[in-house]
Amino acid sequence: MAAGRGATVIVAFLLLVVLQLAGATSAAALPVAINTWAFRKAAETAWRVLQLGGSELDAVERGCGQCEIDQCDGSVGYGGSPDESGETTLDAMIMDGNTMDVGAVADLRHIKNAIGVARKVMEYTKHTLLVGESASMFAVRMGFPYEDLTTQKSLSMYSKWLNQSCQPNYWKNVVPDSSKSCGPYKRPEKVTCKEEQTISQRSVHNHDTIGMIVIGESGTVASGTSTNGAAHKIPGRVGDSPIAGAGSYADSTAGGAAATGDGDIMMRFLPSYQAVEYMRMGTDPTVACQKVISRIQKYVPKFFGAVICANTTGSYGAACNKIPGFTQFHFMVSSPSLNQPTEQVVDCI
């Protein structure tokens, strides 16, 4: 009997040690910063801000802002993704998971630091989202320089697109046939809607967003995005990136998420909000990301997209939709358990 009690005590002691170790591991997992794609300099910048005592919002703003400066893959910042008129416009958002405040800009013209303007929207207005030339005027009043976002590269992209009969483009059910000409388009006398089940025009070589989640030592969550949107988009088009719950979402009681890919499809499903709600219910971050991708797959099997997720204990994960040419998704992670910001990879589902 005494031996039995002794064994019980030993088991209880070992269990306590294991629980303490688990607690230590969990504590050491924070802070954590995660961003979409292998945008290393953005990850390094965000992590450096945290290490120097900056806030989670500071880290998100500076990290995404680094991509705006670097023109990450031509899909963030100035001089990329010209629209049908040849102009580059920017979308961005930033979210505070403590207060649920959001600042966002869309169709921003002539201003390079889109996420910087988004933060000013959050801090100096009672609004959430400002758009178009009016957002640019707000930015100027906030001290941002008004400058040309066009570069030789974006002009070359635009010229090449015009020379190949404006292909690809985002029109449908119009005359003249948008798959063969540049328009101008109008609706036909008699509409015959054709449902197209083609693979998304967005590809792994046309990723459109840096999305970032930062969780501080105390579990405070911030998130943000920045993009220049879809190349050759119809002027005025806004995708998922600046929309809270679509492009990214942060809630310090649950976690954060950010999405990248075909924003026109993904924004319809609010994937970032949905992923955070899954994590709130106790779902592992990787599984939360996978469930979000699966929900979209049911309606649009061939969509291009990925999601990153992190909860308030510092656990994180990612998931992507498998299509030809896109079978793995690369993302960056920074945490105390890693010597430096590290590129990680997941297989698409």
Side-chain angles (χ1 to χ4, degrees):
M1 191 67 123
R5 277 199 304 272
T8 302
V9 169
I10 291 169
V11 169
F13 174 74
L14 288 172
L15 184 59
L16 182 62
V17 169
V18 168
L19 287 172
Q20 285 177 332
L21 285 172
T25 304
S26 177
L30 292 173
V32 66
I34 307 172
N35 62 263
T36 55
W37 307 108
F39 297 150
R40 183 174 297 276
K41 279 187 72 176
E44 290 170 346
T45 298
W47 190 243
R48 187 163 55 249
V49 169
L50 280 183
Q51 297 302 99
L52 293 173
S55 71
E56 294 80 9
L57 285 169
D58 292 339
V60 168
E61 180 184 356
R62 290 280 304 283
C64 291
Q66 186 67 51
C67 251
E68 294 173 345
I69 294 166
D70 295 341
Q71 302 166 284
C72 287
D73 279 349
S75 59
V76 181
Y78 70 100
S81 303
D83 65 17
E84 279 193 342
S85 302
E87 185 178 10
T88 295
T89 58
L90 308 180
D91 304 332
M93 69 155 284
I94 191 165
M95 184 166 185
D96 183 336
N98 281 353
T99 62
M100 308 308 284
D101 287 338
V102 175
V105 289
D107 194 26
L108 182 70
R109 307 168 67 195
H110 300 289
I111 306 290
K112 287 184 176 178
N113 184 201
I115 193 154
V117 181
R119 186 160 182 189
K120 294 297 186 284
V121 172
M122 182 170 69
E123 291 181 339
Y124 295 102
T125 82
K126 296 177 183 178
H127 298 310
T128 293
L129 172 65
L130 297 181
V131 303
E133 193 64 30
S134 299
S136 302
M137 292 301 98
F138 166 79
V140 170
R141 291 169 73 180
M142 290 289 107
F144 293 86
Y146 191 84
E147 49 197 329
D148 193 358
L149 303 189
T150 302
T151 62
Q152 223 23 73
K153 183 179 177 181
S154 65
L155 282 174
S156 175
M157 282 180 67
Y158 180 55
S159 177
K160 182 181 176 184
W161 179 75
L162 288 175
N163 289 334
Q164 57 192 32
S165 303
C166 302
Q167 302 304 310
N169 63 59
Y170 291 89
W171 293 87
K172 65 178 185 179
N173 305 322
V174 292
V175 292
D177 186 342
S178 61
S179 67
K180 298 174 183 174
S181 74
C182 285
Y185 311 110
K186 61 181 182 179
R187 62 189 184 95
E189 296 294 320
K190 187 177 181 183
V191 179
T192 54
C193 293
K194 293 184 291 183
E195 280 302 316
E196 296 182 18
Q197 283 297 320
T198 56
I199 291 176
S200 170
Q201 291 178 30
R202 313 305 290 277
S203 74
V204 69
H205 302 295
N206 184 22
H207 19 98
D208 61 334
T209 311
I210 178 167
M212 183 173 282
I213 309 158
V214 174
I215 304 180
E217 287 184 18
S218 63
T220 293
V221 185
S223 71
T225 65
S226 184
T227 183
N228 54 31
H232 317 305
K233 64 194 174 211
I234 298 169
R237 177 266 188 187
V238 175
D240 63 329
S241 297
I243 308 301
S248 80
Y249 197 70
D251 185 336
S252 297
T253 66
T260 183
D262 188 337
D264 289 298
I265 298 297
M266 297 183 77
M267 69 191 298
R268 302 167 193 171
F269 297 86
L270 295 178
S272 296
Y273 172 79
Q274 187 64 55
V276 171
E277 290 309 301
Y278 282 138
M279 290 187 287
R280 186 191 307 283
M281 295 186 289
T283 304
D284 172 79
T286 298
V287 176
C289 284
Q290 291 171 342
K291 289 178 75 168
V292 163
I293 294 294
S294 296
R295 283 170 72 105
I296 305 174
Q297 282 174 335
K298 290 175 185 174
Y299 294 89
V300 192
K302 297 176 182 177
F303 84 98
F304 166 60
V307 181
I308 55 173
C309 303
N311 66 22
T312 51
T313 68
S315 295
Y316 59 85
C320 50
N321 186 40
K322 186 176 181 180
I323 56 174
F326 184 54
T327 58
Q328 290 186 320
F329 173 59
H330 296 244
F331 62 105
M332 297 297 300
V333 180
S334 307
S335 79
S337 61
L338 302 168
N339 291 330
Q340 60 184 5
T342 304
E343 183 178 337
Q344 302 202 8
V345 186
V346 291
D347 291 324
C348 296
I349 59 174

